[in-house]
Amino acid sequence: MAELFTWVNMRFLLQGLGMTLAISAVSILCSIALGTVISVLRTSKNRALSGVATVYIEVFKNTPLLLWIMFTFFVAQLPPLGAAVLAFTLFTSASVAEIVRGGLAGVPFGQYEAARSQGFNVAQTYVLIILPQALRNMIPALLSQFVTTVKDTSFLWGAMAVQELMGRGMILMNSYNSTEQIFAIFGVMAVLYFAVCFALSQAVRAYQRRLKEARTR
């Protein structure tokens, strides 16, 4: 078993974890940008824009992520990493849009009126006044969504052979034959996934405690 836990093997898996985190981080950042736009459109008084945003959210919330991974890779024929980021961005944006909508609903309506009285247009109102206030309440949900994205990257190896953590683990298994070694590799991958997701979950809980304490002062 000692030959399994070499620095070369561990570095190989850690590089896969780095790929997992990179894909997740880029996807979440893109999803926040797109999801915010979709959320604002959904609350628009323009029925056409609101309808398009609603359809987008319902389509992606009620279809599986793996479908969009396959679509961006085989139908759109994008490179694996580009297809992965696009699929996660399109899919996750629907959930982020709902998170943003909840955050916007928590901002008092008087803030909109105050911005309007100061001569701010719609874009300035959201960017300078509303979104900064809403972000504080959205951070826990966004971090939770990041945890989900990290775990969902495990689909990428089977769909398009992206060498993220799961993919690297599967490649490493091909070099070993015993059941103990294969289970050990699964165990290492589980520990790495757990470490990242648990750390993020703890950050969510810590931030929520700080919010609760701030509100009770």
Side-chain angles (χ1 to χ4, degrees), residues 187-210:
V188 172
M189 288 193 295
V191 168
L192 291 175
Y193 276 119
F194 175 81
V196 171
C197 295
F198 182 75
L200 289 170
S201 298
Q202 289 298 103
V204 171
R205 294 189 184 100
Y207 186 81
Q208 287 175 325
R209 284 195 298 269
R210 287 176 57 190

Side-chain angles (χ1 to χ4, degrees), residues 95-191:
S95 297
V96 171
E98 294 292 81
I99 293 171
V100 173
R101 188 161 70 99
L104 294 177
V107 178
F109 185 72
Q111 296 295 314
Y112 293 87
E113 295 178 330
R116 192 178 303 115
S117 68
Q118 295 298 315
F120 290 171
N121 59 33
V122 174
Q124 291 172 328
T125 298
Y126 276 103
V127 173
L128 299 176
I129 306 297
I130 305 303
L131 288 174
Q133 295 183 63
L135 181 62
R136 183 177 65 178
N137 296 324
M138 293 189 293
I139 287 178
L142 291 175
L143 286 174
S144 296
Q145 189 62 48
F146 185 71
V147 171
T148 299
T149 302
V150 168
K151 292 185 289 185
D152 286 347
T153 56
S154 58
F155 289 130
L156 295 175
W157 169 250
M160 57 179 75
V162 173
Q163 291 189 24
E164 37 66 62
L165 178 55
M166 179 63 72
R168 293 271 176 141
M170 299 301 289
I171 292 172
L172 193 59
M173 286 179 199
N174 292 329
S175 302
Y176 299 92
N177 298 316
S178 73
T179 302
E180 292 82 3
Q181 289 171 327
I182 291 174
F183 271 104
I185 294 172
F186 272 122
V188 172
M189 288 193 295
V191 168

Side-chain angles (χ1 to χ4, degrees), residues 54-118:
T54 300
V55 169
Y56 180 97
I57 292 171
E58 293 302 324
V59 166
F60 282 95
K61 282 183 64 178
N62 293 286
T63 51
L65 170 60
L66 187 58
L67 173 68
W68 298 106
I69 293 174
M70 303 292 281
F71 177 85
T72 55
F73 186 57
F74 291 106
V75 179
Q77 296 186 341
L78 294 174
L81 288 180
V85 170
L86 179 59
F88 274 97
T89 298
L90 293 174
F91 185 82
T92 307
S93 292
S95 297
V96 171
E98 294 292 81
I99 293 171
V100 173
R101 188 161 70 99
L104 294 177
V107 178
F109 185 72
Q111 296 295 314
Y112 293 87
E113 295 178 330
R116 192 178 303 115
S117 68
Q118 295 298 315

